């Protein structure tokens, strides 16, 4: 369940070709269970009819609140709307609406609301690179930041003027992540967190490999929520199709050995800082004894093919040792995937791998764990204290794990 569920979201739409993003955003927000109302500038109405927003949101659309107010209306629409909003976002935000909001002008519905809203305020700029990089726009954005607005930075991409450059509006999923992050306490500010996630992949020959069933969802949820809580987050990811969470630095690897090298390089580069490592990756325990650098051919006279495997290193043990040898301040949190004797096995792993605490889950159940959106775990700390958590989705669980390291 998203933290946005049940929230009142007020969207200000201004006149950019990126206006279609506001439609995509609304469709995602509706799936998250938000109540949505839209306000438009006059020029935005030249791009898309307010009726489209009305049909999508099932709510009235506000185009000119002053004109729409009846002479003897006691309900001041823009103030009522501003009070209704848990979050106000201008998407897309043109240079013009940014300039107006930064300077307190209020001669259209969107800038009027920007002045009146007291809850969270976000701006998602979209414009040509020259206009975006112009010092006047940059100064206006800085001014907005100083006045409690948050900016979802635009990215490099195709622009309406048939060029490429910075000014392309942020991805709609990133905008939603950004919105969600506003409802989390920033309790991990100044913490440096590394998360490993997903399955490692061990090549047999140029076409074949062995891997495991991990989806990477738990590790990605941890990275995303840690970033929401304002940590500096690096994600070392194995085999997965998941999208990098907003604001998270990602390093992709294939094998367990690659993951260990990436971990070593990363913690060395962070030496001097307190680092928290969350080992959520499903590291393959074995790899082929030798890699064959051409495709292995079947033999006519053989029915069976025996593949000789050798053990992978225990990455957590190795990285703990490496950190000690290099005087690096590293705290490690591990996961334990077990099909039997969950607690006994998990406790052994705490000692062997030098963990602060372990998140133990029973992978024999198909409704939780691998590939599922939910998990039900027991957290065991290094003193042996057990805490059983109810079944919950992986983002909620990520929050539960992370608040224990805040
Ligand atoms: N892990 C690791 N290196 C490995 C295997 C696992 O660092 N070669 C990490 C995992 O990321 C996890 C923890 O160790 O945080 C426990 O992983 P798990 O698969 O439960 O245990 P294993 O150590 O592989 O032991 P076993 O498979 O025998 O249960």
């Amino acid at each position: 369940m998203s933290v946005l569920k049940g929230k009142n979201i007020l969207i200000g739409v201004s006149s950019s070709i990126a206006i279609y993003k506001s439609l995509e955003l609304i469709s995602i927000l509706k799936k998250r269970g938000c109540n949505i109302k839209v306000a438009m500038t006059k020029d935005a109405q030249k791009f898309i009819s307010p009726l489209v927003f009305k049909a999508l949101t099932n709510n009235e659309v506000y185009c000119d609140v002053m004109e729409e107010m009846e002479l003897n209306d006691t309900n001041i629409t823009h103030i009522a709307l501003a009070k209704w909003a848990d979050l106000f976002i201008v998407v897309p935000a043109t240079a013009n609406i940014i300039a107006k909001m930064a300077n307190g002008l209020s001669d259209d519905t969107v800038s009027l609301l920007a002045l009146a809203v007291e809850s969270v305020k976000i701006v998602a700029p979209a414009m040509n690179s020259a206009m975006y990089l112009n010092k006047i726009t940059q100064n206006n954005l800085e001014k907005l930041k100083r006045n409690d607005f948050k900016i979802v930075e635009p990215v490099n991409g195709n622009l309406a003027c048939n060029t490429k450059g910075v000014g392309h509006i942020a991805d709609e999923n990133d905008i939603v992540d950004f919105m969600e992050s506003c409802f989390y306490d920033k309790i991990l500010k100044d913490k440096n967190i590394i998360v490993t996630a997903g399955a490692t992949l061990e090549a047999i020959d140029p076409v074949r490999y062995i891997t495991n069933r991990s989806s990477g969802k738990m590790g990605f949820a941890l990275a995303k929520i840690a970033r929401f809580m304002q940590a500096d987050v690096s994600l070392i990811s194995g085999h997965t199709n998941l999208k990098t969470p907003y604001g998270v630095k990602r390093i992709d690897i294939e094998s367990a050995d690659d993951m260990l090298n990436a971990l070593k390089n990363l913690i060395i580069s962070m030496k001097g800082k307190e680092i928290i490592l969350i080992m959520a990756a499903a590291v393959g325990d074995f790899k082929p004894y030798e890699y064959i650098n051409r495709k292995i051919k079947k033999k006519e006279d053989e029915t069976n093919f025996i593949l000789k495997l050798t053990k992978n290193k225990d990455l957590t043990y190795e990285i703990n040792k490496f950190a000690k040898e290099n005087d690096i301040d590293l705290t490690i949190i591990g996961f334990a995937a077990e099909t039997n004797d969950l607690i006994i096995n998990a406790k052994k792993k705490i000692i062997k791998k030098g963990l602060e605490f372990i998140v133990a889950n029973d992978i024999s159940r198909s409704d939780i764990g691998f590939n599922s959106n939910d998990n039900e775990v027991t957290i065991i700390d290094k003193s042996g204290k057990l805490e059983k958590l109810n079944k919950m989705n992986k983002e909620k669980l990520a929050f539960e794990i992370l608040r224990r390291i805040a």
Side-chain angles (χ1 to χ4, degrees):
M1 193 182 72
S2 164
V3 284
L4 292 176
K5 188 169 190 286
K7 293 275 189 290
N8 295 336
I9 309 293
L10 182 57
I11 302 182
V13 178
S14 68
S15 60
S16 153
I17 190 70
I19 199 166
Y20 68 95
K21 283 278 178 183
S22 56
L23 303 176
E24 289 173 352
L25 184 70
I26 289 171
S27 116
I28 303 175
L29 293 176
K30 277 179 73 176
K31 288 190 197 124
R32 306 274 165 111
C34 301
N35 310 309
I36 306 160
K37 291 186 180 177
V38 172
M40 300 178 79
T41 62
K42 274 211 173 64
D43 284 345
Q45 295 161 52
K46 293 181 191 157
F47 281 85
I48 294 186
S49 161
L51 283 176
V52 176
F53 289 105
K54 186 174 177 182
L56 272 180
T57 61
N58 301 110
N59 269 321
E60 229 177 295
V61 177
Y62 302 86
C63 295
D64 189 336
V65 281
M66 285 309 175
E67 215 163 78
E68 286 151 9
M69 213 157 34
E70 300 286 328
L71 181 60
N72 294 320
D73 205 344
T74 49
N75 185 17
I76 315 267
T77 315
H78 62 284
I79 301 299
L81 257 181
K83 287 218 167 86
W84 173 85
D86 294 311
L87 182 151
F88 172 63
I89 178 163
V90 183
V91 55
T94 58
N96 183 49
I97 199 75
I98 288 169
K100 284 200 207 181
M101 293 189 297
N103 292 289
L105 297 184
S106 56
D107 61 351
D108 70 90
T109 307
V110 175
S111 55
L112 181 65
L113 287 168
L115 262 188
V117 169
E118 289 177 289
S119 55
V120 181
K121 288 178 283 196
I122 304 176
V123 174
M127 67 197 76
N128 157 276
S129 301
M131 291 169 76
Y132 175 69
L133 296 173
N134 189 306
K135 275 192 194 143
I136 300 175
T137 305
Q138 289 300 315
N139 286 339
N140 286 334
L141 286 168
E142 281 307 315
K143 202 164 172 188
L144 284 176
K145 281 188 205 163
R146 285 198 303 277
N147 288 293
D148 299 330
F149 283 80
K150 296 170 197 293
I151 315 293
V152 196
E153 305 290 347
V155 293
N156 267 303
N158 293 326
L159 301 169
C161 44
N162 287 330
T163 51
K164 277 192 170 185
V166 66
H168 185 92
I169 194 164
D171 176 84
E172 58 276 16
N173 291 298
D174 287 344
I175 297 176
V176 174
D177 275 6
F178 194 96
M179 292 168 75
E180 286 193 327
S181 73
C182 296
F183 294 99
Y184 280 82
D185 290 334
K186 312 300 178 208
I187 51 176
L188 294 181
K189 194 167 168 25
D190 302 326
K191 300 258 183 204
N192 302 293
I193 297 188
I194 303 173
V195 181
T196 66
T200 55
L201 183 155
E202 308 292 345
I204 299 169
D205 69 12
V207 283
R208 304 178 180 94
Y209 58 79
I210 47 174
T211 186
N212 61 62
R213 291 182 187 279
S214 167
S215 63
K217 285 178 186 166
M218 190 65 239
F220 274 63
L222 280 158
K224 174 175 163 177
I225 306 297
R227 185 63 205 133
F228 284 1
M229 294 164 142
Q230 208 87 87
D232 180 277
V233 187
S234 302
L235 176 65
I236 301 182
S237 174
H239 193 47
T240 167
N241 297 322
L242 300 173
K243 187 181 158 298
T244 314
Y246 184 72
V248 167
K249 289 165 268 180
R250 172 168 173 176
I251 300 165
D252 284 316
I253 54 89
E254 277 203 348
S255 67
D257 289 337
D258 293 345
M259 185 171 272
L260 183 56
N261 287 336
L263 272 170
K264 285 182 177 172
N265 291 336
L266 194 55
I267 68 168
I268 279 284
S269 74
M270 293 163 80
K271 189 172 170 169
K273 298 178 178 170
E274 278 177 37
I275 310 167
I276 299 164
L277 167 64
I278 310 181
M279 286 295 300
V283 184
D285 289 321
F286 301 98
K287 63 180 174 187
Y289 178 71
E290 59 178 343
Y291 173 73
I292 309 292
N293 60 12
R294 67 203 136 69
K295 187 181 172 198
I296 301 168
K297 302 299 280 179
K298 294 187 291 292
K299 293 201 175 110
E300 286 300 325
D301 54 342
E302 280 177 8
T303 313
N304 301 322
F305 175 78
I306 294 171
L307 179 67
K308 190 170 170 190
L309 299 176
T310 183
K311 251 194 198 164
N312 264 327
K313 288 183 182 136
D314 184 320
L315 307 196
T316 312
Y317 173 83
E318 294 292 333
I319 202 70
N320 194 16
K321 191 165 102 204
F322 180 80
K324 286 200 173 96
E325 285 163 2
N326 288 280
D327 200 19
I328 293 171
D329 184 348
L330 184 71
T331 303
I332 313 178
I333 289 136
F335 276 74
E338 306 291 347
T339 51
N340 53 291
D341 299 324
L342 183 76
I343 307 294
I344 299 170
N345 286 331
K347 279 185 173 170
K348 281 187 198 153
K349 286 177 187 172
I350 296 182
I351 299 162
K352 183 178 161 213
K353 295 170 193 263
L355 305 174
E356 193 65 20
F357 65 81
I358 198 158
V359 182
N361 65 319
D362 177 355
I363 50 163
S364 65
R365 283 172 57 181
S366 60
D367 60 327
I368 54 170
F370 278 167
N371 244 319
S372 137
N373 289 324
D374 294 324
N375 213 342
E376 186 180 313
V377 303
T378 302
I379 295 183
I380 309 165
D381 72 14
K382 60 182 179 193
S383 71
K385 195 175 98 210
L386 298 186
E387 223 183 321
K388 193 169 180 347
L389 304 185
N390 292 331
K391 181 171 162 181
M392 60 182 84
N393 78 33
K394 288 182 176 171
E395 287 194 5
K396 176 85 182 34
L397 176 59
F399 172 79
E400 286 299 325
I401 294 168
L402 291 164
R403 78 179 177 79
R404 286 166 171 78
I405 56 175

